[in-house]
Amino acid sequence: VQLVESGGGSVERGGSLRLSCAASGHTFGRFCKAWFRQRPGRAREGVACIDRFGGFYYADSVKGRFTISSDKARNILYLQMNSLKPEDTALYYCASVSTSATRCLLQPSSWYEDWGRGTQVTVS
């Protein structure tokens, strides 16, 4: 299983970015998928996740600003980030886990088995 993130960059406050995570080696449809981030000096935190039934969940800090989605045909996970704030500056990772659970989790990060290497988002 390989996950590769892209789409990070530097934007000004209030700007938008769309992150992508391309998966290979498995079919995304059977997995819970998530976006995590790690801000400087802080623990990795769950931002958004989508379960195998299409249900999605968000951290309170990003609700109303971020949208998670997936393209099952292309095996790509997205994170649309709008109204970005400096506190959103972080290294963003995508993650997945094969599970029979009926919903995904934002914590703990150890629940997820597969991880990408991350893409940097900087908001000034």
Side-chain angles (χ1 to χ4, degrees), residues 8-67:
S10 297
V11 296
E12 294 185 348
R13 178 194 293 265
S16 299
L17 285 173
R18 187 176 79 157
L19 306 183
S20 300
C21 173
S24 60
H26 69 228
T27 303
F28 241 177
R30 298 185 291 111
F31 287 69
C32 278
K33 291 86 67 176
W35 286 98
F36 282 77
R37 68 185 181 187
Q38 189 155 18
R39 293 182 276 185
R42 303 184 66 166
R44 192 172 296 188
E45 59 178 334
V47 172
C49 65
I50 184 168
D51 63 37
R52 57 197 181 100
F53 302 110
F56 40 80
Y57 308 88
Y58 297 94
D60 288 343
S61 59
V62 305
K63 278 181 183 176
R65 300 188 299 122
F66 290 11
T67 303

